[in-house]
Amino acid sequence: MLPIAGAITLAGLTPLALVKYNIRRMTSGRALSMTQRLSALDRHAMVTIVNEKHELSEANDLFLEMTGYTRSELMGEQVLKVYDVAHRGLALEIRTCLQRGEMWQGETPLRCKDGSIIYTHSTIMPLFDAKGVWKGSISVRTDITRTRQLLAERNVAESLHELRDDIWIVRADSEKFAYVNAAARRRLGWQDNEVEQHSLSELAMQPGAKAIRSACRRMIERNETSTQFEETLFDVPFHISIKFLPSHHNDGRFLIVLNDISARIEQERAQSDFISTVSHELRSPLTSIKGAMGLMLSNATGDLPDKAVDLLGIAHRNADRLVLILNDILDLEKISAGRMEFTLDDVDMRDLIREAQVANANIGERFGISLEAIGVDGPLPLRTDPNRVIQVLNNLVSNACKFSKAGDTVAIRVRDEGDSLRISVRDQGQGIPLQDQHKIFEKFADLANSSRTTKGGTGLGLSICKAIVQSLGGTIGFTSVEGVGTTFFFNLPKLEAISSEASNEPKLRVAS
């Protein structure tokens, strides 16, 4: 009986053991599969768990690596710590969604430890306990920062491609072209797949391209980020703007924008021709009117009542002002058209300064200003147009007198700078407001503390001075401090004395 009973018992237990074995095997397989899936997820995505107090309680290694935090710096901290201030509204919106028991999916910008922002696509699930009470959330994130950057670059490239301006992008290290837009390709005659085969050096025979190449190299040497200038390239006048775009890999690029200004130049030429014609037509009758009023004021027509003399005096002074305006306009027109004549001669700068002092003595007396010359003890040879230099000096000195206080001194100083002479005119006036300094050389510049009606002037003098100095190969500028005064200066090429075998007297030449 015992063997039979044992057999029956064994027969009954065997299926149960097999079932348990199969269950253990299946459970073990599922657990292994789940472990492998979680491992893959852990390697691919950033995973965090937040508790019911909105504190970070878990974060995988990838999350820490991407954000730059250590585990101790994040655990127990509010999850808002990894959201930039500008995006914390989004974090609160996600929290509200989760507390309603809803899953949230979307883009979440995260703030890294160094302050930078990474963009992630997130799936965030609410967590509940066995009683259905909300206990926090689990987040799974993938980094989409590079994808966003590529999309942005593509959108920018598409926009640049359709611009009417020529756009070049040139590598700073090799000066090879990285990109040109459609307008530039048509002008250069390049195919799309040929762009990266070309470099700036290939275009160096073109004066404009040579200027662009020199400007790029100068920006690198001087650590500048942008520059702009006007130049002719392919027989087309361009306004050229260059911006240096740095890179983390020390392979920065130049963004070069060439704006065709042919239409603007043609319009300016037409305006200049019109103004020139009108000015010429006005000057002759105005000179006659001014002369007639001068005769009347000198009693050539007999004595006039005092009231009539006063009115004629006002008219005569305004006629003088109109003649000055017309002469200035004609000078500007000649300079811009390249028709102003310059007669170069060997001169001594001391003589020109003395002449400017004499010419402005009356205006100095009128405003109670004394004139002082500094640095004129020794010879100052110069090859230049003396009449035009006197024109510049007279303008700067008369302006300094007008905008100084009675009793002040206007100083005219000459300084030897090696290859040039620097001539400066300093006043002790109210200075030029900072917000107006950028337009000081513009035509008819209207400054906040300037009054032409009381001080006189046409508003064209400084723009003419700039044009004359630049035409003579020099530079002009100024420094000004409100309440202290202003110093205008210009540099002209200096002359050197060299010996001649045929004569004991020195000859003058322009220093190279």
Side-chain angles (χ1 to χ4, degrees):
M1 293 296 294
L2 286 173
I4 294 173
I8 294 172
T9 302
L10 182 61
L13 291 175
T14 298
L16 181 60
L18 288 173
V19 168
K20 288 184 177 181
Y21 171 75
N22 288 332
I23 290 173
R24 282 197 303 270
R25 187 179 63 178
M26 291 172 63
T27 302
S28 175
R30 288 173 183 173
L32 178 62
S33 177
M34 182 60 69
T35 300
Q36 291 172 341
R37 292 177 190 179
L38 289 175
S39 177
L41 178 65
D42 190 53
R43 291 174 181 273
H44 173 76
M46 294 174 273
V47 181
T48 56
I49 295 177
V50 174
N51 63 24
E52 68 273 16
K53 297 179 181 179
H54 313 296
E55 297 170 343
L56 284 159
S57 58
E58 291 290 341
N60 70 343
D61 291 340
L62 184 59
F63 183 87
L64 299 174
E65 177 186 336
M66 296 299 296
T67 59
Y69 289 102
T70 63
R71 197 173 302 278
S72 61
E73 289 173 329
L74 284 184
M75 295 306 100
E77 296 288 337
Q78 289 286 309
V79 71
L80 289 178
K81 181 172 182 175
V82 295
Y83 283 87
D84 191 71
V85 174
H87 301 114
R88 289 189 175 178
L90 174 62
L92 297 176
E93 176 189 326
I94 295 171
R95 179 182 297 178
T96 302
C97 178
L98 295 172
Q99 288 176 331
R100 291 198 303 262
E102 300 173 1
M103 179 183 70
W104 188 92
Q105 285 186 308
E107 188 175 294
T108 52
L110 298 182
R111 182 181 182 277
C112 300
K113 183 178 179 179
D114 62 5
S116 62
I117 302 294
I118 60 171
Y119 291 88
T120 63
H121 186 275
S122 304
T123 297
I124 307 177
M125 298 282 294
L127 297 176
F128 299 94
D129 63 11
K131 298 179 180 179
V133 178
W134 184 75
K135 286 295 183 180
S137 62
I138 181 170
S139 304
V140 179
R141 295 180 170 91
T142 53
D143 183 12
I144 59 170
T145 306
R146 180 58 180 163
T147 303
R148 280 175 56 93
Q149 182 182 349
L150 292 173
L151 287 172
E153 289 176 356
R154 188 188 70 181
N155 292 337
V156 170
E158 289 176 353
S159 300
L160 292 177
H161 203 66
E162 300 304 322
L163 285 179
R164 295 177 62 183
D165 293 339
D166 291 33
I167 308 294
W168 301 354
I169 296 179
V170 178
R171 293 185 175 88
D173 53 354
S174 64
E175 295 186 349
K176 289 274 190 180
F177 282 88
Y179 168 83
V180 296
N181 70 341
R185 282 212 314 269
R186 287 192 295 268
R187 196 182 306 276
L188 294 165
W190 296 347
Q191 299 297 321
D192 191 23
N193 57 356
E194 298 175 349
V195 170
E196 296 190 1
Q197 302 172 15
H198 298 282
S199 68
L200 277 178
S201 60
E202 297 175 29
L203 305 177
M205 296 301 293
Q206 289 280 344
K210 186 176 181 180
I212 291 173
R213 188 184 185 193
S214 298
C216 291
R217 292 181 174 182
R218 189 165 54 250
M219 288 172 66
I220 294 293
E221 292 170 1
R222 299 179 181 177
N223 198 28
E224 296 174 343
T225 57
S226 63
T227 187
Q228 52 184 318
F229 52 91
E230 292 184 2
E231 189 60 73
T232 300
L233 181 64
F234 308 117
D235 298 322
V236 177
F238 286 104
H239 179 273
I240 300 168
S241 175
I242 306 176
K243 185 171 182 62
F244 180 66
L245 307 174
S247 168
H248 297 300
H249 305 290
N250 297 320
D251 58 347
R253 301 183 178 192
F254 292 105
L255 173 63
I256 305 171
V257 181
L258 298 91
N259 174 240
D260 186 345
I261 56 175
S262 302
R264 192 198 80 190
I265 289 177
E266 186 58 36
Q267 182 181 14
E268 289 177 352
R269 185 180 294 114
Q271 290 175 345
S272 177
D273 290 343
F274 172 75
I275 291 172
S276 176
T277 301
V278 171
S279 300
H280 278 293
E281 293 299 324
L282 287 176
R283 188 161 60 171
S284 295
L286 188 57
T287 302
S288 299
I289 293 169
K290 178 173 171 278
M293 288 189 293
L295 289 172
M296 294 176 70
L297 286 170
S298 64
N299 295 326
T301 58
D303 293 337
L304 296 172
D306 291 342
K307 190 171 183 179
V309 172
D310 291 340
L311 291 173
L312 273 174
I314 294 171
H316 192 265
R317 286 193 298 274
N318 280 283
D320 274 335
R321 186 163 178 263
L322 284 173
V323 171
L324 288 174
I325 291 174
L326 291 175
N327 288 338
D328 283 350
I329 289 174
L330 290 172
D331 277 348
L332 277 177
E333 186 273 330
K334 288 178 184 177
I335 292 171
S336 62
R339 293 196 294 265
M340 175 170 272
E341 295 181 358
F342 291 86
T343 304
L344 301 183
D345 198 2
D346 297 332
V347 299
D348 190 328
M349 195 66 206
R350 294 178 301 174
D351 297 333
L352 303 186
I353 290 175
R354 293 190 188 105
E355 186 174 339
Q357 279 184 284
V358 172
N360 289 278
N362 288 336
I363 194 169
E365 291 176 5
R366 176 183 164 194
F367 291 102
I369 307 300
S370 59
L371 301 177
E372 178 186 14
I374 303 171
V376 292
D377 300 328
L380 298 167
L382 200 68
R383 185 168 188 79
T384 189
D385 186 327
N387 293 324
R388 294 301 177 188
V389 173
I390 285 291
Q391 186 177 352
V392 173
L393 276 171
N394 284 343
N395 193 287
L396 297 181
V397 173
S398 63
N399 278 352
C401 291
K402 291 172 187 175
F403 293 99
S404 293
K405 303 181 294 294
D408 286 349
T409 298
V410 169
I412 310 169
R413 182 188 297 270
V414 186
R415 190 172 73 205
D416 187 339
E417 296 202 333
D419 60 351
S420 67
L421 291 180
R422 184 184 185 94
I423 302 95
S424 61
V425 178
R426 189 200 71 222
D427 65 48
Q428 296 172 295
Q430 57 192 331
I432 303 168
L434 185 62
Q435 68 270 20
D436 290 333
Q437 291 184 8
H438 70 283
K439 58 184 179 182
I440 197 67
F441 289 109
E442 293 179 3
K443 302 172 186 176
F444 301 108
D446 188 17
L447 309 186
N449 61 357
S450 174
S451 176
R452 294 195 197 114
T453 56
T454 58
K455 301 291 186 181
T458 65
L460 293 169
L462 289 175
S463 58
I464 293 174
C465 288
K466 180 180 179 181
I468 290 174
V469 170
Q470 290 180 340
S471 297
L472 291 171
T475 58
I476 189 169
F478 71 96
T479 59
S480 185
V481 179
E482 285 192 78
V484 177
T486 301
T487 299
F488 279 90
F489 57 85
F490 61 97
N491 287 45
L492 292 174
K494 180 186 171 186
L495 292 178
E496 292 179 346
I498 58 174
S499 299
S500 171
E501 294 179 0
S503 173
N504 294 325
E505 297 182 359
K507 292 185 178 180
L508 299 174
R509 66 177 177 84
V510 178
S512 59

